[in-house]
Amino acid sequence: MGAEAGVREMQRTRFDLQQLSVLGKEYHSEERVVGYYTSGDRMKYWGDMGAFWGGLWDSLAGAAFFVVPGIGPVLIAGPLGAWVVNTMEGAEAVDGLSVLGAALYSIGIPRDSIRRYESALKADKLLLVAHGTVEEVEGAKDVLRRTQPAEVNLHFAEEGAMSLA
């Protein structure tokens, strides 16, 4: 799986995993139980991709589950979950964008890119987001390219940059 390989490669190159998020749409299966629970600061997932998400939640800071209108159930590992919560709590709605899109917009991602990322999530793709200084993110871009993602994009904001694969 590309996102899992990307996370492992980022870890191998000592990229600060506190600056990494992975997003994916929940995969439903009528034949299998899917469930979530939290215990303290840990989250557990049962389903077809349980080992994948469990490994991410053990490696990355934070875990979240949201139902995003127009996209469906979305799982997030890493700090992007907190950005979504901050966007919801701050009522920072952005015309025409979901709460996830508004959170991405609030950290400097342009609208046209947000629409592509939301479409990718709807199509059951995974998004990996690395954020940090321009130098850190340019290094992350090079690392991520080695894992052969569908695409890698850089976005620059006032506080730094983001690389999405």
Side-chain angles (χ1 to χ4, degrees), residues 119-140:
S119 293
L121 282 173
K122 287 179 192 176
D124 297 331
K125 304 278 191 233
L126 295 170
L127 299 176
L128 193 143
V129 181
H131 56 98
T133 66
V134 172
E135 295 79 21
E136 289 169 332
V137 173
E138 285 179 346

Side-chain angles (χ1 to χ4, degrees), residues 18-36:
Q18 301 296 311
Q19 296 175 240
L20 198 61
S21 294
V22 177
L23 296 83
K25 189 173 163 194
E26 162 53 21
Y27 298 92
H28 286 94
S29 172
E30 297 298 321
E31 295 86 40
R32 299 203 51 192
V33 173
V34 174
Y36 312 86

Side-chain angles (χ1 to χ4, degrees), residues 46-67:
W46 284 280
D48 290 340
M49 296 184 64
F52 170 75
W53 285 106
L56 287 177
W57 288 329
D58 285 344
S59 300
L60 306 180
F65 171 76
F66 297 99
V67 177

Side-chain angles (χ1 to χ4, degrees), residues 85-165:
V85 170
N86 288 340
T87 299
M88 289 188 307
E89 288 178 347
E92 297 175 26
V94 179
D95 289 335
L97 296 178
S98 70
V99 67
L100 177 61
L104 292 171
Y105 185 79
S106 76
I107 60 171
I109 308 295
R111 284 178 185 264
D112 60 330
S113 296
I114 291 168
R115 288 188 180 92
R116 277 197 342 270
Y117 302 144
E118 287 183 334
S119 293
L121 282 173
K122 287 179 192 176
D124 297 331
K125 304 278 191 233
L126 295 170
L127 299 176
L128 193 143
V129 181
H131 56 98
T133 66
V134 172
E135 295 79 21
E136 289 169 332
V137 173
E138 285 179 346
K141 175 189 75 165
D142 295 337
V143 170
L144 292 173
R145 283 205 170 126
R146 291 193 295 248
T147 64
Q148 301 178 341
E151 65 179 281
V152 176
N153 301 296
L154 289 179
H155 300 285
F156 299 97
E158 290 179 21
E159 302 107 34
M162 272 88 30
S163 178
L164 283 92

